[in-house]
Amino acid sequence: LNPNVSAFQRRFVGEVRRCEEMEKTFAFLRQELRVAGRALGPCQDNPRAPVAREALRVQEQSEQLAQELREVSRNHASLRGRLRELRQYLHVLREGQRFTSLPAPLGSPPRPRALSDREPIFDPSLHQHLDRKINFVAGVIHPWRVSAFERLLWRACRGYLVANFVEMPEPMEDPATGESITWVIFLISYWGEQIGQKIRKISDCFHCHVYPYPESEASRADTMNRLHNQIQDLSVVLEETEQYLAQVLDKVMLALPTWQVQVHKMKAIYLILNQCSFDVTEKCLIAEVWCPVRDLTQVQDALRQGSYKSGSSVECFVQRIPTSESPPTLIRTNKFTAGFQSIVDAYGVASYQEVNPAPYAIITFPFIFAIMFGDVGHGLVMFLFALWMVLYENSPSLQQGSNEIWQTFFEGRYLILLMGAFSIYTGFIYNECFSKATVIFPSAWSVATMANHSSWRWDSKLPVTSARVPACTDSPCSAHSSDYLATHPSLTLDPNVTGVFQGPYPFGIDPVSVPWDMGWDPQWSGPESHLPFCRQIWSLATNHLNFLNSFKMKMSVVLGIVHMGFGVLLGVFNHVHFQQQHRLVLEFLPEMVFLLALFGYLVFLIFYKWIKFTPADSRVAPSILIHFIDMFLFTSNPDNLPLYQGQVPVQMVLVVLALASVPVLLLGTPLYLYCRRWAMKLHHAGPVAVAEQEALLDGQEAGNSVNTSKEDLESGGHSPDAEHMDFSEIFMHQAIHTIEYCLGCVSNTASYLRLWALSLAHAQLSEVLWSMVMRNGFVRLSYVGGVVLVPVFAAFAVLTVAILLVMEGLSAFLHALRLHWVEFQNKFYVGGGYKLCPFAFAPDSWE
Amino acid sequence: MAYGGLTVPIIVMSVFWGMVGGVLPWLVPKGPNRGVINTMLVTCAVCCYLFWLIAILAQLNPLFGPQLSNETIWYLKSHWP
């Protein structure tokens, strides 16, 4: 409301900053918890946003806790460091004992790392003579530095020392990196002060911990006792510190979730309050909101309750004000429809009060998906997966999945459910179950009749693959037929022979399958390899694709034209709702005429050819495609017989009709609007206060909202000479619409052929998978074969899910989406709105 | 049923989808979702019926028959009517 005031000058900035500080403290507490290895549970109840007093209390408490935690952690760390040093010292002394308590033969240290023979001191005889005092330097060094240290010592002190290195029996923590390593204890015995200083300097360089090594046995024992006691005391203190730390962490864990929620709510409220502006009297706040009309009474109630609860003397109230801005769009959805609405919104949110394609998309989208995906087996797997998600949708582990891809699948669970269900249906109609056809009804093609037909007899003089001879003498001769068969590798069943084709398969595509072999081998589709066992006969699929392609292509075209026609029809709702009845006649009618005259006629031709042309005419069956092209070119092809009598004049009429509708579409609406404005100008002498607008909201006035200044008001109206410019804009817009529509009709119809392409791809992929993977598991019938079948099936299942379900599913989903968004929706949808974003304390937006 | 020609399947399917699209919407209980459910039922009936109709009409008058290998023909000849 107050865009003029900068962010820092707003009233509640201090409070917002306080919230942010508290959140920083919370972050520190959370980190400490994480370091200690505890997880912060989610907030169970839904606390209200706190008032100012409570907020102060929360802030104080949280800061106090943070302070305590910091201190305790520091103490803890220092205690542990001290303990570690003491333990190291103890070990040094203990290990050092081993070297120095040994009498004269120094020649056998536990690890022969000391440089032995070359040193003069190792000579025991010499040792007796040397009268000097032996000094020691003892300490601990990192194991990686040992060899370098040794070398440097040797070079620097020229052999006047004995260095012993031994590993510590237990690993200890390295204070710098925190990892536990096995330190190496060293004990250096030397003569002379200078060497001593050199050694100390060198050990400093190497970051060793040097500990004082007492000379005599007794003092060493003393020191060790002392160390023991110290270590014990320190351990006790450390334990208590850790307990105290655990207590503090417990307190934090209890309080933190609630605080977080409270502070978050407070911050959100203050941010919203910041957006309000102050009244003139500086005593009350004004806010402008969008509110759905249906909820207006609820809002008033809530305001009344709020003022009652906070005990203020003046009531809050709400008042409707007119405005010239276009309102946001609110579409109420439940958990089922939300998924479908979101895929429509992903293209564009509906303009205010426009017809919403989502309710229709609930069914058409899964249906179009299923056309491209049709397979009973795959559909069943998809359906079961979605069913599992739906049945367990209330379990928190599913709801709060952190993986984003999983969240996407989960939110579309109803979508996937419907997609799976429709895929099962189309799978039945395509007769595909994991690429195998099922025999629900007996097949309608009879091979025996064909085989007994005399044209397959041995002495027939016909060429190999054609069998278009009408039925002749009926002397069945199986022996002759088998010889005939033996010489001809493949033959075609002729539907012209009586009894061979007995009618269309009642539900779906005909399988013509063999009853009991390893799979269903339909005549129309099947794998191509032969098995060694003669009992399993796998048919050779030579022309199944011919039939399927023709069927699927025509199906795609028919369904596409129906879908687009439906889209144009939905535009009627828009025209009626916005009271633009002129568009009904001037836009809807020419659009429908164009679509139906050309493409509706194509649909008619397809159905007509299916019904009218029997196998007897198969030689002379006309080609629809050539007829269609000739229709546009106004020519005719003598080889292509007409489908019905009078086809040519009918087609000419339709083309003329379609072409005539184009200028109507192009010029109708602009001319109508121009005439209307011209008529209005004649009737009203004075300047028109508000000009007719093309916008979807009619009858607006410039708003008297607090926000707008004088300049905004004046620019709301139109000046008279802008009307002429408007007309050319309208005309432009309409021309673009016309061209887009007409060209779009043609290209979009062709675009629907992707239904054919993808279903073909899916069928072929699943067939390949079956024949290349699964069939190899059926090679042997023995027990060994059974064992081999298990990994083969595993591979088949993994590949099915990965390639066919996920990849093909996503691909079909995408193409179905594209068909909806582009081909269907650009017939009627504008999609220029914006969504209503209400202020909400959604508990699942916390982490 | 395949041998009964066209009439029986057409009657069965038309009646079924006609019921789904024409009769069931009246039986849906009144509630906030009635409109959506009715739309769904009608759209579903139209889509599925149209799809099935296309499938059966395409097979009504086949202009060519399936092409089989001679092994299949030999097998089917003796094991199928």
mmCIF file of all heavy atoms in Angstrom, chain A residues 117 123 243 290 293 336 341 522 577 627 644 714 731 779 791 834:
data_model
loop_
_atom_site.group_PDB
_atom_site.id
_atom_site.type_symbol
_atom_site.label_atom_id
_atom_site.label_comp_id
_atom_site.label_asym_id
_atom_site.label_seq_id
_atom_site.Cartn_x
_atom_site.Cartn_y
_atom_site.Cartn_z
ATOM 1 N N ASP A 117 75.286 -48.418 14.872
ATOM 2 C CA ASP A 117 76.731 -48.669 15.050
ATOM 3 C C ASP A 117 77.615 -47.459 14.903
ATOM 4 O O ASP A 117 78.695 -47.416 15.453
ATOM 5 C CB ASP A 117 77.190 -49.724 14.034
ATOM 6 C CG ASP A 117 76.250 -50.890 14.033
ATOM 7 O OD1 ASP A 117 76.090 -51.455 15.115
ATOM 8 O OD2 ASP A 117 75.684 -51.188 12.969
ATOM 9 N N ASP A 123 78.900 -47.552 22.091
ATOM 10 C CA ASP A 123 79.933 -48.467 22.564
ATOM 11 C C ASP A 123 79.873 -48.522 24.084
ATOM 12 O O ASP A 123 80.104 -47.515 24.754
ATOM 13 C CB ASP A 123 81.286 -47.947 22.103
ATOM 14 C CG ASP A 123 82.355 -48.993 22.272
ATOM 15 O OD1 ASP A 123 82.036 -50.073 22.814
ATOM 16 O OD2 ASP A 123 83.481 -48.722 21.856
ATOM 17 N N GLN A 243 27.421 -34.220 31.568
ATOM 18 C CA GLN A 243 26.022 -34.370 31.994
ATOM 19 C C GLN A 243 25.302 -33.035 31.951
ATOM 20 O O GLN A 243 24.157 -32.919 31.497
ATOM 21 C CB GLN A 243 25.978 -34.918 33.412
ATOM 22 C CG GLN A 243 25.932 -36.420 33.454
ATOM 23 C CD GLN A 243 25.838 -36.895 34.870
ATOM 24 O OE1 GLN A 243 25.628 -36.092 35.795
ATOM 25 N NE2 GLN A 243 26.006 -38.180 35.064
ATOM 26 N N TRP A 290 -7.278 -8.293 -1.616
ATOM 27 C CA TRP A 290 -8.214 -8.975 -2.489
ATOM 28 C C TRP A 290 -8.906 -10.043 -1.673
ATOM 29 O O TRP A 290 -8.265 -10.763 -0.934
ATOM 30 C CB TRP A 290 -7.469 -9.649 -3.633
ATOM 31 C CG TRP A 290 -6.918 -8.738 -4.658
ATOM 32 C CD1 TRP A 290 -5.625 -8.449 -4.882
ATOM 33 C CD2 TRP A 290 -7.654 -7.993 -5.619
ATOM 34 N NE1 TRP A 290 -5.482 -7.587 -5.912
ATOM 35 C CE2 TRP A 290 -6.725 -7.281 -6.400
ATOM 36 C CE3 TRP A 290 -9.012 -7.858 -5.918
ATOM 37 C CZ2 TRP A 290 -7.097 -6.455 -7.441
ATOM 38 C CZ3 TRP A 290 -9.381 -7.033 -6.954
ATOM 39 C CH2 TRP A 290 -8.433 -6.333 -7.705
ATOM 40 N N VAL A 293 -15.438 -13.065 -3.034
ATOM 41 C CA VAL A 293 -16.731 -12.516 -2.638
ATOM 42 C C VAL A 293 -17.465 -13.463 -1.706
ATOM 43 O O VAL A 293 -18.114 -13.060 -0.754
ATOM 44 C CB VAL A 293 -17.579 -12.244 -3.896
ATOM 45 C CG1 VAL A 293 -18.957 -11.793 -3.504
ATOM 46 C CG2 VAL A 293 -16.904 -11.203 -4.744
ATOM 47 N N PHE A 336 -7.801 -33.942 -4.851
ATOM 48 C CA PHE A 336 -7.840 -34.707 -6.091
ATOM 49 C C PHE A 336 -7.618 -33.813 -7.301
ATOM 50 O O PHE A 336 -6.836 -34.102 -8.192
ATOM 51 C CB PHE A 336 -9.196 -35.413 -6.188
ATOM 52 C CG PHE A 336 -9.398 -36.155 -7.461
ATOM 53 C CD1 PHE A 336 -8.720 -37.334 -7.704
ATOM 54 C CD2 PHE A 336 -10.253 -35.684 -8.429
ATOM 55 C CE1 PHE A 336 -8.900 -38.030 -8.868
ATOM 56 C CE2 PHE A 336 -10.436 -36.376 -9.606
ATOM 57 C CZ PHE A 336 -9.765 -37.548 -9.828
ATOM 58 N N GLN A 341 -5.230 -29.184 -11.793
ATOM 59 C CA GLN A 341 -5.224 -27.729 -11.908
ATOM 60 C C GLN A 341 -3.800 -27.217 -12.019
ATOM 61 O O GLN A 341 -3.533 -26.260 -12.745
ATOM 62 C CB GLN A 341 -5.905 -27.122 -10.678
ATOM 63 C CG GLN A 341 -6.119 -25.645 -10.775
ATOM 64 C CD GLN A 341 -7.071 -25.291 -11.880
ATOM 65 O OE1 GLN A 341 -8.142 -25.869 -11.990
ATOM 66 N NE2 GLN A 341 -6.692 -24.352 -12.716
ATOM 67 N N PRO A 522 -0.079 -63.699 -31.012
ATOM 68 C CA PRO A 522 -1.152 -63.310 -31.905
ATOM 69 C C PRO A 522 -0.678 -63.318 -33.341
ATOM 70 O O PRO A 522 0.494 -63.219 -33.621
ATOM 71 C CB PRO A 522 -1.477 -61.897 -31.452
ATOM 72 C CG PRO A 522 -0.199 -61.405 -30.942
ATOM 73 C CD PRO A 522 0.531 -62.573 -30.349
ATOM 74 N N HIS A 577 -20.304 -15.869 -21.228
ATOM 75 C CA HIS A 577 -20.114 -15.328 -19.874
ATOM 76 C C HIS A 577 -19.765 -13.855 -19.912
ATOM 77 O O HIS A 577 -20.217 -13.076 -19.073
ATOM 78 C CB HIS A 577 -19.020 -16.111 -19.156
ATOM 79 C CG HIS A 577 -18.747 -15.594 -17.787
ATOM 80 N ND1 HIS A 577 -19.473 -15.982 -16.697
ATOM 81 C CD2 HIS A 577 -17.846 -14.709 -17.334
ATOM 82 C CE1 HIS A 577 -19.019 -15.375 -15.625
ATOM 83 N NE2 HIS A 577 -18.023 -14.594 -15.981
ATOM 84 N N HIS A 627 -7.808 -38.324 -52.124
ATOM 85 C CA HIS A 627 -9.057 -37.581 -52.269
ATOM 86 C C HIS A 627 -8.990 -36.252 -51.550
ATOM 87 O O HIS A 627 -9.446 -35.226 -52.054
ATOM 88 C CB HIS A 627 -10.218 -38.397 -51.692
ATOM 89 C CG HIS A 627 -10.828 -39.323 -52.685
ATOM 90 N ND1 HIS A 627 -11.424 -38.881 -53.846
ATOM 91 C CD2 HIS A 627 -10.928 -40.668 -52.702
ATOM 92 C CE1 HIS A 627 -11.863 -39.924 -54.530
ATOM 93 N NE2 HIS A 627 -11.571 -41.014 -53.851
ATOM 94 N N TYR A 644 -18.350 -42.159 -52.850
ATOM 95 C CA TYR A 644 -19.798 -42.206 -52.971
ATOM 96 C C TYR A 644 -20.171 -41.355 -54.155
ATOM 97 O O TYR A 644 -19.376 -40.556 -54.661
ATOM 98 C CB TYR A 644 -20.469 -41.718 -51.687
ATOM 99 C CG TYR A 644 -20.041 -40.337 -51.238
ATOM 100 C CD1 TYR A 644 -20.725 -39.203 -51.653
ATOM 101 C CD2 TYR A 644 -18.940 -40.168 -50.410
ATOM 102 C CE1 TYR A 644 -20.331 -37.955 -51.261
ATOM 103 C CE2 TYR A 644 -18.535 -38.919 -50.012
ATOM 104 C CZ TYR A 644 -19.235 -37.819 -50.435
ATOM 105 O OH TYR A 644 -18.836 -36.580 -50.043
ATOM 106 N N GLU A 714 -6.228 10.015 -14.243
ATOM 107 C CA GLU A 714 -6.462 10.586 -15.554
ATOM 108 C C GLU A 714 -6.053 9.654 -16.662
ATOM 109 O O GLU A 714 -6.647 9.644 -17.723
ATOM 110 C CB GLU A 714 -5.704 11.909 -15.674
ATOM 111 C CG GLU A 714 -6.494 13.029 -15.050
ATOM 112 C CD GLU A 714 -5.665 14.292 -14.972
ATOM 113 O OE1 GLU A 714 -4.581 14.330 -15.575
ATOM 114 O OE2 GLU A 714 -6.104 15.235 -14.313
ATOM 115 N N PHE A 731 -7.888 -4.830 -35.149
ATOM 116 C CA PHE A 731 -7.833 -5.492 -36.450
ATOM 117 C C PHE A 731 -6.595 -6.369 -36.554
ATOM 118 O O PHE A 731 -6.648 -7.510 -37.036
ATOM 119 C CB PHE A 731 -7.837 -4.416 -37.539
ATOM 120 C CG PHE A 731 -7.817 -4.989 -38.904
ATOM 121 C CD1 PHE A 731 -8.906 -5.689 -39.392
ATOM 122 C CD2 PHE A 731 -6.709 -4.853 -39.720
ATOM 123 C CE1 PHE A 731 -8.884 -6.223 -40.652
ATOM 124 C CE2 PHE A 731 -6.682 -5.381 -40.979
ATOM 125 C CZ PHE A 731 -7.767 -6.070 -41.448
ATOM 126 N N VAL A 779 14.485 -70.871 -22.451
ATOM 127 C CA VAL A 779 15.185 -71.748 -23.388
ATOM 128 C C VAL A 779 15.068 -73.221 -22.979
ATOM 129 O O VAL A 779 14.771 -74.078 -23.773
ATOM 130 C CB VAL A 779 16.658 -71.331 -23.450
ATOM 131 C CG1 VAL A 779 17.471 -72.351 -24.191
ATOM 132 C CG2 VAL A 779 16.753 -69.994 -24.143
ATOM 133 N N PRO A 791 17.265 -64.721 -12.721
ATOM 134 C CA PRO A 791 17.980 -63.486 -13.078
ATOM 135 C C PRO A 791 17.502 -62.872 -14.385
ATOM 136 O O PRO A 791 17.520 -61.643 -14.539
ATOM 137 C CB PRO A 791 19.450 -63.915 -13.170
ATOM 138 C CG PRO A 791 19.434 -65.364 -13.304
ATOM 139 C CD PRO A 791 18.200 -65.860 -12.648
ATOM 140 N N TYR A 834 -3.312 -13.972 -12.786
ATOM 141 C CA TYR A 834 -2.326 -14.271 -11.758
ATOM 142 C C TYR A 834 -3.073 -14.838 -10.563
ATOM 143 O O TYR A 834 -4.258 -14.582 -10.363
ATOM 144 C CB TYR A 834 -1.502 -13.047 -11.375
ATOM 145 C CG TYR A 834 -2.284 -11.892 -10.789
ATOM 146 C CD1 TYR A 834 -2.251 -11.629 -9.428
ATOM 147 C CD2 TYR A 834 -3.019 -11.039 -11.595
ATOM 148 C CE1 TYR A 834 -2.946 -10.575 -8.895
ATOM 149 C CE2 TYR A 834 -3.720 -9.986 -11.068
ATOM 150 C CZ TYR A 834 -3.677 -9.749 -9.718
ATOM 151 O OH TYR A 834 -4.370 -8.704 -9.200
#
